[in-house]
Amino acid sequence: MPFLKRPRTTEPLVKLWDKKAQKCGPHHTVYSVNGDQYTGDWMDNKKHGKGRQVWKRTGMIYYGDWRCGKREGYGTLSRTDPETKEYVRVYVGSWRNDKKEGAGTYFYSPSAFYEGQWKEDQRSGWGRMQFENGELYEGEWLKDKQHGQGLLLLANGNRFVGSWSNGQKNGHGKFFYLDRGQLYEGFWVDGVAKCGTVSDFGREAAVRPTVYPIPKVCLQDSQAVLMEAQAYFTEDKQESTETTIPSHTVARQYVP
């Protein structure tokens, strides 16, 4: 006669203990094996709601919104200062899927910060970057680099307004040399001015104006000359080959 095993009337202790261990709702501090700790809300054994996470190895701390175990919503990321042992802000803003996304401010140092749009942990969209050397860029970004229209304000007051691509000046732009009272307007390729015009601009208010004003140069069709030079450099960049610049183009270009 075969032996018939009776079905269990109660759940195994392993399952009972697992159910009791499932965290849901507000909890006191929960410590991980590696020393990390979390204090806040839970749902289905995942961080969900408001909470404070401390990473022991890096000394980073995050306080803000969580969703299904990941940072999502609004929150503040801080780090421990090695000298003062106090927490200083690193990032304040929006998160999505555990990455910086949306509007937020990132502090690189006490004198350098970025304020603007983020996408997947990278500066993308409109934003303003204050650099440690005193320069300021405000404009469009793409994948952590200046891309689109933007303004670069140098520490000495000079500024560039125009097109950017892959972190460099590319396309039409204007460079205002306010310290010497001149304006360069032209076309850039990979951060280098290729062709354009130079004119006096605000010489009366310049700190170190030029000795003589720029004389007026009259051409039969100055616009056609600039368009010809621009077309040459645009075609040269697309082909990505080194060619010799025609002499008539070189005579009309100015590189500041």
Side-chain angles (χ1 to χ4, degrees):
M1 181 177 179
F3 176 76
L4 298 177
K5 189 176 180 180
R6 293 183 179 181
R8 290 181 179 270
T9 56
T10 59
E11 290 185 310
L13 290 178
V14 176
K15 292 187 177 180
L16 291 176
W17 293 336
D18 185 62
K19 286 184 177 180
K20 291 180 179 181
Q22 294 293 314
K23 296 175 286 292
C24 190
H27 274 68
H28 294 294
T29 304
V30 177
Y31 295 88
S32 302
V33 178
N34 58 5
D36 297 346
Q37 51 183 285
Y38 173 81
T39 307
D41 298 329
W42 296 79
M43 187 178 73
D44 295 334
N45 212 33
K46 293 182 179 180
K47 302 162 191 171
H48 192 94
K50 288 284 186 182
R52 178 177 180 268
Q53 171 79 29
V54 179
W55 291 271
K56 181 180 179 180
R57 185 178 63 85
T58 61
M60 304 291 284
I61 178 174
Y62 170 83
Y63 177 78
D65 298 326
W66 295 79
R67 181 179 176 85
C68 297
K70 296 182 179 180
R71 292 168 290 186
E72 185 153 338
Y74 185 86
T76 301
L77 181 67
S78 306
R79 63 175 176 83
T80 306
D81 189 283
E83 297 180 359
T84 63
K85 304 301 180 181
E86 296 180 352
Y87 284 107
V88 293
R89 294 181 303 174
V90 175
Y91 175 79
V92 180
S94 299
W95 298 78
R96 185 179 181 184
N97 197 28
D98 221 30
K99 295 181 180 180
K100 297 183 286 291
E101 184 147 343
T105 303
Y106 191 96
F107 301 91
Y108 295 90
S109 70
S111 58
F113 65 91
Y114 170 82
E115 181 181 12
Q117 297 293 318
W118 294 80
K119 185 175 180 62
E120 295 185 350
D121 266 346
Q122 293 183 325
R123 295 167 290 185
S124 291
W126 189 268
R128 179 178 62 175
M129 179 70 198
Q130 177 69 57
F131 298 92
E132 289 189 357
N133 59 3
E135 296 181 357
L136 172 68
Y137 173 83
E138 184 171 0
E140 295 177 292
W141 296 76
L142 180 64
K143 295 183 178 180
D144 239 16
K145 294 182 180 181
Q146 298 100 317
H147 192 93
Q149 295 296 314
L151 162 68
L152 177 64
L153 178 62
L154 303 182
N156 60 3
N158 295 341
R159 61 199 62 187
F160 169 82
V161 181
S163 299
W164 296 74
S165 178
N166 200 31
Q168 293 182 321
K169 306 179 190 72
N170 273 287
H172 292 282
K174 297 180 180 180
F175 203 112
F176 295 85
Y177 295 93
L178 300 182
D179 57 343
R180 68 190 189 202
Q182 290 183 337
L183 166 64
Y184 175 83
E185 183 175 2
F187 188 78
W188 271 260
V189 176
D190 295 336
V192 179
K194 292 296 184 178
C195 59
T197 59
V198 181
S199 59
D200 290 321
F201 183 87
R203 292 187 73 253
E204 299 79 8
V207 179
R208 297 184 302 276
T210 55
V211 179
Y212 303 104
I214 298 176
K216 186 176 181 180
V217 179
C218 298
L219 295 175
Q220 184 176 1
D221 192 350
S222 59
Q223 190 65 26
V225 174
L226 293 175
M227 293 296 292
E228 178 186 355
Q230 176 184 331
Y232 172 82
F233 287 111
T234 304
E235 181 181 356
D236 180 69
K237 182 179 180 182
Q238 292 176 350
E239 295 177 355
S240 300
T241 56
E242 295 182 358
T243 56
T244 304
I245 303 176
S247 59
H248 68 278
T249 305
V250 175
R252 298 179 185 124
Q253 71 172 346
Y254 174 82
V255 180

